[in-house]
Amino acid sequence: GQNIDQPTEMTATEGAIVQINCTYQTSGFNGLFWYQQHAGEAPTFLSYNVLDGLEEKGRFSSFLSRSKGYSYLLLKELQMKDSASYLCAVRAFYGGATNKLIFGTGTLLAVQP
Amino acid sequence: EAQVTQNPRYLITVTGKKLTVTCSQNMNHEYMSWYRQDPGLGLRQIYYSMNVEVTDKGDVPEGYKVSRKEKRNFPLILESPSPNQTSLYFCASSSGSHSGANVLTFGAGSRLTVL
């Protein structure tokens, strides 16, 4: 089966660093995505990892360890506008020519002054 | 502007009254998909389409139909809506029909209430 776990909620302080973890169990792993979703809005793409290691994009970085089934999203220099849900999504190869994207339930991050 | 447009954004309807939520993308994407989002359950895939005339069930297809007659459009049809289909619906698209979902671009969402 497929399973993705991430914390339900987190709180952090403006200007600080926060790490949001995601663990997964899946067969046919073929990449991991992070999306940001503000309340009442559509998810927007943040990052993508398919190989082990760290991908950095400005204040956001994402890490992947395929052997451990583990990823994290690191947000630096937190701003109030970073208050949002962060969705971990795993792409898995289902045979033939099809990849399937499975979303976790999301981590609601609250940034406090 | 590259975007996915879905309508209506908000709809309140009654049990059994057929409705269609439209979805259109202007990025020439092969892959399109419908998701529903419910508290505590995250985004769950309803149906997806790898290209024109190619559609397949996702994880929660019961009570829904789709069609893909043109590349840009992927409507979601609820033939006989029931209260358990009250949800927030997202249409999404990406390039790459041969590999399935790549980076998804989402529509703004359609909040549906079935009384």
Side-chain angles (χ1 to χ4, degrees), chain A residues 7-28:
Chain A
T8 304
E9 295 181 356
M10 297 182 71
T11 302
T13 304
E14 194 175 13
I17 299 173
V18 70
Q19 177 175 310
I20 302 174
N21 295 326
C22 172
T23 58
Y24 62 90
Q25 298 89 38
T26 184
S27 54

Side-chain angles (χ1 to χ4, degrees), chain A:
Chain A
Q2 317 287 347
N3 191 48
I4 300 173
D5 288 310
Q6 47 181 138
T8 304
E9 295 181 356
M10 297 182 71
T11 302
T13 304
E14 194 175 13
I17 299 173
V18 70
Q19 177 175 310
I20 302 174
N21 295 326
C22 172
T23 58
Y24 62 90
Q25 298 89 38
T26 184
S27 54
F29 176 84
N30 193 23
L32 188 143
F33 298 80
W34 284 95
Y35 285 82
Q36 180 190 60
Q37 185 178 23
H38 286 100
E41 298 183 9
T44 55
F45 169 73
L46 284 179
S47 69
Y48 170 65
N49 296 71
V50 66
L51 300 176
D52 290 350
L54 190 68
E55 293 283 339
E56 297 187 76
K57 288 174 81 171
R59 293 191 298 116
F60 292 12
S61 303
S62 57
F63 172 83
L64 175 67
S65 169
R66 289 173 295 170
S67 62
K68 295 181 179 177
Y70 168 69
S71 172
Y72 67 72
L73 181 69
L74 194 70
L75 291 75
K76 304 174 187 174
E77 301 168 15
L78 279 172
Q79 303 174 9
M80 298 299 290
K81 67 178 182 180
D82 297 330
S83 293
S85 279
Y86 291 86
L87 313 179
C88 173
V90 171
R91 187 170 65 183
F93 185 66
Y94 272 67
T98 304
N99 282 293
K100 188 179 177 70
L101 198 61
I102 305 147
F103 283 86
T105 54
T107 298
L108 181 61
L109 173 66
V111 179
Q112 298 179 338

